[in-house]
Amino acid sequence: MFDSKTLDGKIALVTGASRGIGRGIALALAGCGATVLVNYNGSKERAEQVVAEIANMGGQAEVIGCNVSDYAACEQMVKEVIEKYGKVDILVNNAGITRDNLIMRMSEQDYDDVLNTNLKGAFNTMKHLTRHFLKNKSGKIINISSVSGVMGNAGQANYSASKAGLIGLTKSIARELSSRGICVNAVAPGFIETEMTKAMPKSVLEGAKGSIPLGRIGAVDDIANTVLFLASDYANYITGQVVCVDGGMSI
Ligand code: NAP
């Protein structure tokens, strides 16, 4: 079903692809033949490593630095990509941060930073790319939300709000772009083993495990494989959906 030709000729932009889930998504898309633009903000070397890994497996990729929370920088990134490649077929809004705290202790800065990266960042890339998607009359946009955006989570009011907002953004833009065959979906991961979850206290992670029906923390590939499916022609009749990849946490 999926092989090195599935996404042949497709151009994919993955935000926050220097590590974690974004890296896994970049590798999966490139493994199926897409040319992948590996976006990073601070971790240039790690993004270059991802590009090198893709080249080693015979794929095509390039790094592209940009802080997705910066509207003008996103406009410039899109301009550069379109000038060089002429189009983007697959956009994965994966870049995200956490600044966890209870609302009593949460600073305004931590609230704004999380909303600006996780929610406005996705708006920025979609806003600047929409014209090009419409012109091509095709495309796949996949926004990485979170189980926290679906269920809420104590200590993550800013993060949950950003990820729930991303679901609203996904559904609205799916409606706006559907007449041109462009599919816009969200993936809502549960707890996935990355640096983001490694930063969490062990007790919290162990407690979380108890609430996962499938009884394990997810792997990056669990998310990457779902994104791969949504990015492919096998998902041409799916739009405006939230796919929870969370071991059953949100049942
Ligand atoms: P991670 O390991 O912390 O990686 C985050 C990535 O986002 C990095 O590549 C980072 O790039 C990039 N990034 C952060 N701010 C950015 C900005 N302003 N502009 C561009 N890139 C930026 O996180 P992860 O666990 O892989 O999470 C990836 C996505 O999945 C996030 O949206 C997260 O909310 C979501 N998610 C994760 C989990 C989980 O359990 N891990 C669960 C649910 C949802 P630089 O290092 O270059 O800045």
Side-chain angles (χ1 to χ4, degrees):
M1 191 171 162
F2 286 88
D3 61 26
S4 60
K5 298 252 182 277
T6 306
L7 299 177
D8 214 17
K10 304 285 186 196
I11 307 295
L13 171 60
V14 184
T15 69
S18 55
R19 53 198 162 89
I21 292 171
R23 170 182 169 274
I25 292 169
L27 291 172
L29 296 176
C32 283
T35 296
V36 182
L37 302 162
V38 174
N39 164 255
Y40 68 93
N41 182 29
S43 312
K44 186 173 185 204
E45 271 181 32
R46 296 188 65 176
E48 284 169 347
Q49 276 170 23
V50 176
V51 168
E53 277 180 77
I54 290 172
N56 280 341
M57 56 189 219
Q60 306 237 330
E62 190 184 333
V63 295
I64 186 146
C66 171
N67 177 352
V68 296
S69 68
D70 183 331
Y71 184 84
C74 283
E75 188 170 22
Q76 183 57 31
M77 172 170 72
V78 168
K79 191 167 172 265
E80 279 171 32
V81 170
I82 297 295
E83 269 171 17
K84 182 154 184 192
Y85 295 96
K87 61 170 185 170
V88 168
D89 303 287
I90 301 161
L91 167 66
V92 184
N93 283 307
N94 164 81
I97 58 169
T98 50
R99 296 285 182 273
D100 296 353
N101 224 328
L102 297 171
I103 184 94
M104 289 275 283
R105 295 196 203 111
M106 188 174 288
S107 68
E108 185 185 7
Q109 191 66 56
D110 283 350
Y111 184 85
D112 287 346
D113 286 350
V114 169
L115 268 288
N116 283 336
T117 300
N118 300 4
L119 182 56
K120 194 179 169 217
F123 165 78
N124 288 343
T125 55
M126 289 192 281
K127 159 82 189 162
H128 295 304
L129 272 170
T130 290
R131 194 158 53 91
H132 304 285
F133 277 119
L134 289 174
K135 206 173 109 201
N136 290 342
K137 296 193 179 72
S138 74
K140 297 279 166 51
I141 301 175
I142 299 131
N143 294 323
I144 307 300
S145 177
S146 167
V147 68
S148 297
V150 176
M151 301 169 71
N153 194 22
Q156 287 199 312
N158 50 358
Y159 184 77
S160 300
S162 73
K163 295 299 189 179
L166 194 51
I167 290 172
L169 199 62
T170 300
K171 291 185 178 184
S172 300
I173 296 177
R175 286 184 185 277
E176 287 186 23
L177 306 188
S178 58
S179 64
R180 302 284 180 100
I182 299 151
C183 298
V184 189
N185 291 291
V187 172
F191 284 93
I192 307 298
E193 214 172 331
T194 67
E195 284 168 38
M196 188 177 271
T197 40
K198 261 185 213 143
M200 294 169 74
K202 234 183 164 175
S203 57
V204 174
L205 220 51
E206 278 307 310
K209 234 192 231 177
S211 66
I212 303 171
L214 287 179
R216 67 169 174 90
I217 301 292
V220 163
D221 280 351
D222 292 319
I223 307 304
N225 290 334
T226 308
V227 171
L228 188 56
F229 168 67
L230 289 172
S232 75
D233 284 344
Y234 296 112
N236 282 351
Y237 202 53
I238 303 175
T239 198
Q241 302 305 306
V242 183
V243 183
C244 294
V245 185
D246 60 2
M249 250 183 113
S250 59
I251 291 172

